[in-house]
Amino acid sequence: MERNRYVDFLRGFSLIVVVVWHWAFTIIRWRVDGPHATSPLRFTTGLWIFTWLLQVMPLFFYIGGYVHLKSWLRAKSRGEGLGGFVWKRVKQLAIPALALLVTWVALGWALEGAYGLKWIMQAVKLVVSPLWFLAVYLMLIVLLPVALWLHRRFGVLVLVWLGGLAMCMDILRFRYHFEWAGWANLVIVWGLAHQAGFFYRQVVDAPRKIDWSLLWIGLFGLVGMVFSGLYPGSMVGVPGDKWSNMAPPTFVIVALLLFQVGVVEVARPRMEILLERRRWRWFTEVMSRFALPLFLFHTTGMAISRFIGWIFGQELDDRVPPDALWWAARPLAILGPLICTLPVILVFGRRWVRRPAPQSEPAPAETL
């Protein structure tokens, strides 16, 4: 299948940002029940503004919606049914995610039973916690038949309705204290981002002023909601905040989606030129091929790196607040887990490394 180079870059880059963020900016604090993670944003002022670009999950789900639409249209042209298409996609993600989850839980139980390590299951919880993202992504794949029907029947109105529902859920959650409304937004907000991806081609073909309009609308929305004091400034969860914009997602994520879509479209002309260069093509190809196994095993590599560091005398309990030495060591905090993750991928993850594919810009008709 021919591939869209910029789409591959955005999808791979999004996952790489998540991986690097976990490696570089996770602070581990040991308590009686085991390790707990916190964020350097808890101990700094103003750095949360960078999460407006670095919290890339809205962008990833948006690109995912486009990829699913294109893949379905190709499968449909080959005579494949929607049910079979969805099931195949589910298996592609569910099997490796479940294998990783079962392996770590079994290992935790075994170590707890054999050596009485009461903290081990808390450590396992930290290692497998990023799988929440794959669980949400699998949910969106399962709901793909509904999303396609809504897109075919109502078009852009679906985005308006989902945005309105997301705001209503925030009102029910924060004004009337219905906590279930926040978890309803787990489906609504991420479903909106995924549904927006169905309009990817229309956004690409739109005039440049539309790209700038999306960027400024999203940015003004973020500024208005955050500086009103109604929502946290950080787009990632920060322990100690009253609530998180991500878990579960709030309406702020809708504004973040608009902002990020605007940013990537404004940057598109320059990026498409860069992606024609040999080194950029190689970088994009490597990211695309290894993105899934790297995401799956990056916390496993991080755990191995931490264990090796402990063997050689490194403290397991990170110092807080982070000082200048901690910030200066961030490149090493990335290098160690990377070195430990690559062998894990080589041994356990080679089957999920994507095969090389021709790189070009296909333009098949997007007719449901």
Side-chain angles (χ1 to χ4, degrees):
M1 183 180 68
E2 294 181 330
R3 308 194 66 85
N4 181 315
R5 193 171 296 144
Y6 193 42
V7 167
D8 275 351
F9 173 81
L10 291 174
R11 188 161 57 162
F13 180 75
S14 297
L15 286 183
I16 296 299
V17 168
V18 174
V19 169
V20 171
W21 182 279
H22 288 164
W23 285 345
F25 301 119
T26 298
I27 296 177
I28 300 297
R29 302 293 293 164
W30 279 79
R31 301 174 186 168
V32 176
D33 61 338
H36 292 259
T38 189
S39 169
L41 297 179
R42 182 178 180 182
F43 308 99
T44 59
T45 301
L47 290 184
W48 50 262
I49 194 70
F50 293 104
T51 66
W52 292 13
L53 287 173
L54 297 178
Q55 174 48 278
V56 289
M57 288 296 97
L59 178 63
F60 185 87
F61 286 119
Y62 168 75
I63 296 297
Y66 170 69
V67 171
H68 287 150
L69 174 62
K70 300 295 292 185
S71 299
W72 159 237
L73 293 176
R74 287 192 176 97
K76 183 181 178 182
S77 69
R78 298 191 300 266
E80 188 174 337
L82 183 54
F85 172 79
V86 169
W87 176 239
K88 183 167 65 175
R89 288 270 166 168
V90 168
K91 288 193 297 182
Q92 287 174 350
L93 287 180
I95 290 176
L98 286 174
L100 179 66
L101 179 62
V102 169
T103 299
W104 266 108
V105 171
L107 180 63
W109 282 341
L111 291 174
E112 184 178 23
Y115 300 102
L117 303 178
K118 300 300 182 183
W119 52 265
I120 191 67
M121 294 311 296
Q122 175 61 28
V124 169
K125 179 181 176 182
L126 282 184
V127 172
V128 302
S129 59
L131 292 180
W132 75 265
F133 154 73
L134 288 183
V136 174
Y137 202 65
L138 284 168
M139 174 193 71
L140 295 175
I141 295 174
V142 171
L143 293 175
L144 187 60
V146 177
L148 290 172
W149 179 84
L150 288 171
H151 179 69
R152 185 169 56 245
R153 180 69 175 81
F154 300 105
V156 73
L157 273 178
V158 180
L159 302 183
V160 178
W161 293 336
L162 289 174
L165 279 174
M167 175 56 75
C168 290
M169 292 303 106
D170 275 7
I171 293 172
L172 290 174
R173 178 185 174 191
F174 300 128
R175 175 66 177 85
Y176 299 103
H177 308 293
F178 291 108
E179 290 302 318
W180 59 265
W183 297 107
N185 262 353
L186 191 70
V187 181
I188 296 168
V189 171
W190 297 130
L192 186 154
H194 187 261
Q195 195 86 14
F198 294 168
F199 296 92
Y200 172 89
R201 178 53 57 185
Q202 288 91 323
V203 174
V204 171
D205 295 337
R208 289 283 288 169
K209 61 183 179 181
I210 299 298
D211 304 337
W212 283 103
S213 297
L214 290 173
L215 187 155
W216 285 109
I217 290 170
L219 182 59
F220 287 143
L222 287 169
V223 169
M225 285 184 280
V226 166
F227 286 95
S228 70
L230 297 175
Y231 295 92
S234 173
M235 298 298 116
V236 300
V238 179
D241 282 354
K242 188 176 181 180
W243 57 72
S244 166
N245 282 318
M246 281 291 294
T250 66
F251 185 76
V252 170
I253 301 302
V254 177
L256 182 65
L257 171 67
L258 292 173
F259 173 63
Q260 292 184 346
V261 170
V263 168
V264 299
E265 290 307 318
V266 167
R268 174 183 293 278
R270 177 59 179 165
M271 286 305 303
E272 288 184 338
I273 293 173
L274 290 176
L275 291 172
E276 290 298 323
R277 298 177 180 176
R278 182 172 58 85
R279 291 182 180 179
W280 281 85
R281 289 201 306 269
W282 175 84
F283 179 66
T284 301
E285 172 68 14
V286 171
M287 281 198 309
S288 299
R289 294 184 62 203
F290 289 90
L292 177 58
L294 181 62
F295 180 82
L296 284 171
F297 297 116
H298 77 281
T299 49
T300 300
M302 184 176 178
I304 295 172
S305 176
R306 289 264 180 170
F307 178 71
I308 294 174
W310 174 73
I311 291 176
F312 286 95
Q314 180 181 343
E315 292 290 336
L316 289 175
D317 198 15
D318 292 328
R319 290 175 297 175
V320 293
D323 53 17
L325 181 62
W326 185 89
W327 286 103
R330 291 312 85 202
L332 293 177
I334 297 171
L335 183 60
L338 176 61
I339 292 173
C340 293
T341 301
L342 293 179
V344 177
I345 294 176
L346 180 64
V347 175
F348 299 105
R350 284 183 294 176
R351 71 187 67 182
W352 297 302
V353 175
R354 180 182 293 162
R355 295 179 181 179
Q359 296 282 337
S360 61
E361 179 72 30
E366 297 186 4
T367 303
L368 297 178

